Amino acid sequence: MGNYAEAPLLSLVVPFYNESEALHVFFGRVVPILESIPRTRFEIVCVNDGSADDTLAKLVGMSRRDARIRVIDLTRNFGKEAALTAGIDEAVGDAVIPIDADLQDPPELIPTLVQRWRQGAEVVLAQRASRATDSLLKRISAAAYYRVHNRLSDLKIPENVGDFRLMDRAVVNALKQLPERHRFMKGLFAWVGFNTVIVQYERAPRSAGKSKFSGWRLWNLALEGITSFSSVPLRSWTYLGTFIAMLAFCYGTFIIARTMILGVDVPGYASVLSLLLFFGGLQLIGLGVVGEYIGRIYDESKGRPIYLVKRRYQERRQERPPHGRAAGNGRVISLVASKPN
Ligand code: UDP
Ligand code: MG
């Protein structure tokens, strides 16, 4: 341990949203594992994503007892993706590992991730070997989602890979340069590239508490992913429109010719009405798709920060390089200054 200060620093980034029940179990399991990794130091960056229970109080209690635990308290619930962004921005480690608080990502895998990183990988992905612990519905929808996404988008996101992974400092710095407010982390992680290695694991059921992702939230996440990385849904309307216009032209020519040859044909109320309704509906769907994108342009153009930090808690002052995102993003980092200590 002679060169302790020189040992690489690992940053564990953990978003917490109403995780009071799972919190102590989490630290109880994670800290010994991190301590067991030779020749490393670690910090645990806990982001309190506007929890309504006593998660914050418990986290602050933990950070009082252990200077390696830091707490970033956000002003409200910004959602997991924003909370992760906050944690990654705040982390100062040579390698950063986002992990869920509910222990569904096995911390036992961390030493393996670190080992691969030491062997030269810049990104070490933890891939779920199977989805046995998920419900059938979730399994089917996940499989369908990856298929649709990877079909529509140029950027392929690896299947069954969550946010649990190890990223080298270089990757994190690249990630911090991405200015978008709609943060589909899986996609952004994949977008930055770098030398990537995959490690497989079995995902455990939640240690305590319950999932914050309802079907509706997952659906929105899926839309987010597709609209963030593909303009195919937008473009497809051009082709559909062209196709229908061509059909209409052929049919129109046929009707005109028939009328000229056989005379006026009055009946046709049902067919006219059904076509009217069909194309009316189709146009509304097209408008809806365009709307999805315009809504996102609107959100991005407002340029609001992704999250706001209310307060940072840390026991002892450690030397920290100036954090924040790459120059030019001009975002509010903190409403209230860090606790002077
Ligand atoms: N989480 C968060 N903000 C939210 C929702 C979730 O920070 O708005 C955190 C949550 O505390 C957990 C992680 O994100 O650490 C994953 O959440 P969850 O286990 O509910 O998701 P699932 O495993 O069902 O996908
Ligand atoms: Mg979970």
Side-chain angles (χ1 to χ4, degrees):
M1 283 286 162
N3 237 348
Y4 189 70
E6 299 282 290
L9 178 70
L10 304 178
S11 296
L12 217 62
V13 172
V14 200
F16 286 87
Y17 177 52
N18 296 343
E19 297 287 3
S20 176
E21 292 165 57
L23 197 140
H24 286 299
V25 194
F26 176 79
F27 287 105
R29 218 165 104 193
V30 160
V31 171
I33 292 173
L34 289 175
E35 281 171 345
S36 76
I37 305 175
R39 286 172 289 111
T40 49
R41 295 170 299 144
F42 68 87
E43 61 166 2
I44 305 181
V45 182
C46 309
V47 183
N48 176 39
D49 188 17
S51 301
D53 60 6
D54 59 350
T55 299
L56 177 66
K58 285 190 179 172
L59 282 177
V60 172
M62 290 300 300
S63 77
R64 291 251 163 78
R65 264 170 276 147
D66 190 338
R68 299 168 299 187
I69 299 175
R70 285 203 274 145
V71 182
I72 314 297
D73 186 26
L74 302 187
T75 55
R76 63 172 171 86
N77 178 253
F78 282 89
K80 183 186 175 186
E81 314 276 313
L84 257 187
T85 307
I88 291 173
D89 283 349
E90 298 278 336
V92 294
D94 301 296
V96 175
I97 307 171
I99 186 169
D100 283 358
D102 58 8
L103 289 173
Q104 283 194 289
D105 309 323
E108 288 74 20
L109 200 66
I110 295 174
T112 317
L113 299 182
V114 172
Q115 188 199 351
R116 291 302 175 86
W117 172 59
R118 284 195 157 135
Q119 288 166 359
E122 286 155 317
V123 179
V124 189
L125 295 182
Q127 184 176 46
R128 299 173 63 171
S130 78
R131 284 188 166 254
T133 56
D134 280 353
S135 67
L136 185 67
L137 186 68
K138 201 163 176 178
R139 277 208 299 257
I140 293 173
S141 56
Y145 170 69
Y146 285 113
R147 195 140 20 149
V148 171
H149 183 107
N150 289 341
R151 259 285 173 74
L152 292 184
S153 164
D154 292 336
L155 181 90
K156 308 293 175 237
I157 50 176
E159 225 165 295
N160 296 338
V161 168
D163 298 321
F164 186 37
R165 64 187 58 218
L166 181 147
M167 292 176 287
D168 186 73
R169 174 52 42 191
V171 181
V172 174
N173 288 345
L175 207 60
K176 281 177 155 185
Q177 286 176 21
L178 305 183
E180 56 236 86
R181 264 124 267 285
H182 280 272
R183 300 198 75 79
F184 182 66
M185 294 311 265
K186 271 183 211 210
L188 299 183
F189 286 150
W191 186 89
V192 295
F194 287 95
N195 173 14
T196 305
V197 165
I198 294 182
V199 173
Q200 299 220 325
Y201 75 102
E202 269 321 317
R203 192 170 169 89
R206 243 180 178 283
S207 68
K210 56 181 189 307
S211 173
K212 275 99 204 161
F213 285 84
S214 60
W216 181 244
R217 259 185 115 154
L218 283 174
W219 165 251
N220 282 328
L221 193 66
L223 275 189
E224 196 66 66
I226 290 172
T227 51
S228 296
F229 288 94
S230 167
S231 56
V232 171
L234 211 48
R235 253 183 307 149
S236 62
W237 291 95
T238 319
Y239 300 110
L240 188 66
T242 314
F243 177 68
I244 291 176
M246 262 156 36
L247 277 186
F249 181 77
C250 296
Y251 188 57
T253 318
F254 165 71
I255 289 186
I256 290 171
R258 197 181 59 176
T259 311
M260 288 204 302
I261 297 164
L262 300 177
V264 184
D265 186 16
V266 177
Y269 169 76
S271 59
V272 168
L273 190 69
S274 54
L275 280 181
L276 199 75
L277 291 177
F278 175 69
F279 288 112
L282 212 60
Q283 278 164 3
L284 284 182
I285 298 174
L287 221 64
V289 173
V290 175
E292 282 289 332
Y293 283 86
I294 292 185
R296 283 173 170 77
I297 297 172
Y298 174 63
D299 280 347
E300 296 289 341
S301 67
K302 280 184 291 194
R304 289 184 187 147
I306 300 163
Y307 58 86
L308 290 176
V309 175
K310 194 193 290 184
R311 191 167 164 179
R312 300 180 175 81
Y313 300 85
Q314 183 175 22
E315 214 24 59
R316 251 177 296 125
R317 161 154 284 170
Q318 286 178 352
E319 275 162 81
R320 284 207 256 157
H323 52 251
R325 307 174 71 78
N329 286 326
R331 57 213 289 279
V332 182
I333 289 293
S334 163
L335 277 183
V336 180
S338 311
K339 187 176 76 165
N341 47 12

